[in-house]
Amino acid sequence: VGEFAALVFAGALGFAEALYAVKVRAEAMQKASEAVPSGMLSVIGRREANYKFACLEARKHCELLGIENPVCEISNYLFPDSRVIAGHLQALEFLQENARKYYFTRAKMLPVSGAFHTRLMEPAVEPLADVLKSIEIQKPLVCVYSNVDGKKYMHSKHIQKLLVKQVVSPVMWEQTMHSVYERKQGTEFPYTYEVGPGKQLGAVLKKCNLKAWKQYNHVDALEDEEAAET
């Protein structure tokens, strides 16, 4: 949803059209979620942690339980040593129970209804693709980075393709942070503003790039409004 908002801000999508696309996407993803008991597990690991190996063993566990084509894969790369793993509930429960074996210092279920950004969301791909074909998409007026590959959107067809791919692809947030803040040595980092409630994105930036974080500021519009009223 944040990526749609960024594309609206950048003039690539109209607000009403983007809102409709998000509605169709949400309904299709919810329908996909209801088809299979699945979820997402927030994991913080030690340096020894091998997330892909842990997912492989969780899938093997599901196969022993009789689950065909089990899904258990990284769905979000947040910051160094932090991942979100998504897939069948049985796989996530297995990882929680064996957290110590895989060098996970924390393994917490997220309050969501499905395994977003995995192939379990494939039923949602076609409805979103159909909607995006009917929407006029422009080249962004400012740089917008896709969290599918951490690179800048180049043109309208590129946006259309990656917004669809995003439904079943992991969120490369850590990689995107590295792309956004890549600078020649000695070049100053830009000012970064996080607008709205919470400072989670700032906390992630601090983990990804401490020097860039030093130019970070949080702006809470509600606090500013309350201050103006008093």
Side-chain angles (χ1 to χ4, degrees):
V1 176
E3 198 151 315
F4 277 87
L7 288 166
V8 170
F9 177 81
L13 294 173
F15 176 72
E17 290 86 353
L19 206 59
Y20 178 63
V22 167
K23 177 179 180 289
V24 170
R25 177 179 179 267
E27 289 172 349
M29 289 172 74
Q30 181 60 33
K31 192 174 180 180
S33 298
E34 291 167 0
V36 177
S38 57
M40 304 179 83
L41 184 73
S42 176
V43 174
I44 294 178
R46 286 158 53 187
R47 289 190 177 181
E48 305 96 316
N50 186 329
Y51 304 97
K52 289 186 178 179
F53 175 69
C55 289
L56 174 63
E57 293 216 321
R59 289 196 296 273
K60 286 181 178 177
H61 169 74
C62 287
E63 287 172 354
L64 292 173
L65 296 177
I67 298 171
E68 293 184 15
N69 300 316
V71 173
C72 183
E73 56 200 54
I74 298 171
S75 63
N76 293 64
Y77 293 81
L78 294 175
F79 55 84
D81 304 321
S82 177
R83 303 282 185 269
V84 175
I85 295 173
H88 282 82
L89 277 181
Q90 295 90 333
L92 304 183
E93 289 164 357
F94 172 82
L95 291 179
Q96 273 192 306
E97 290 166 8
N98 294 276
R100 183 175 290 185
K101 176 184 176 182
Y102 300 115
Y103 301 103
F104 297 163
T105 56
R106 191 188 79 175
K108 183 180 179 182
M109 291 294 294
L110 295 177
V112 296
S113 59
F116 304 133
H117 302 291
T118 71
R119 58 187 174 86
L120 286 175
M121 291 294 111
E122 279 177 3
V125 166
E126 193 174 335
L128 178 61
D130 289 343
V131 169
L132 290 175
K133 285 175 189 173
S134 68
I135 292 175
E136 187 177 357
I137 303 175
Q138 307 287 343
K139 183 178 178 179
L141 299 174
V142 295
C143 293
V144 178
Y145 291 76
S146 168
N147 59 33
V148 169
D149 58 10
K151 297 176 182 177
K152 296 175 189 175
Y153 280 118
M154 303 305 295
H155 48 75
S156 59
K157 289 289 183 186
H158 192 212
I159 293 171
Q160 186 183 63
K161 179 183 175 183
L162 290 188
L163 282 180
V164 172
K165 193 175 179 182
Q166 184 196 49
V167 174
V168 291
S169 301
V171 175
M172 301 289 196
W173 189 259
E174 181 183 344
Q175 295 84 340
T176 302
M177 291 289 94
H178 292 317
S179 295
V180 169
Y181 291 99
E182 187 178 8
R183 296 287 185 280
K184 290 181 181 177
Q185 196 166 0
T187 305
E188 286 189 13
F189 286 100
Y191 289 103
T192 298
Y193 298 93
E194 181 173 358
V195 180
K199 301 178 182 179
Q200 189 174 5
L201 299 182
V204 172
L205 175 59
K206 187 177 182 180
K207 296 277 189 181
C208 291
N209 191 322
L210 183 60
K211 289 183 179 178
W213 174 79
K214 289 178 180 177
Q215 299 282 57
Y216 162 88
N217 285 285
H218 175 251
V219 180
D220 191 327
L222 293 176
E223 282 183 7
D224 291 344
E225 284 179 12
E226 288 171 3
E229 288 173 4
T230 55

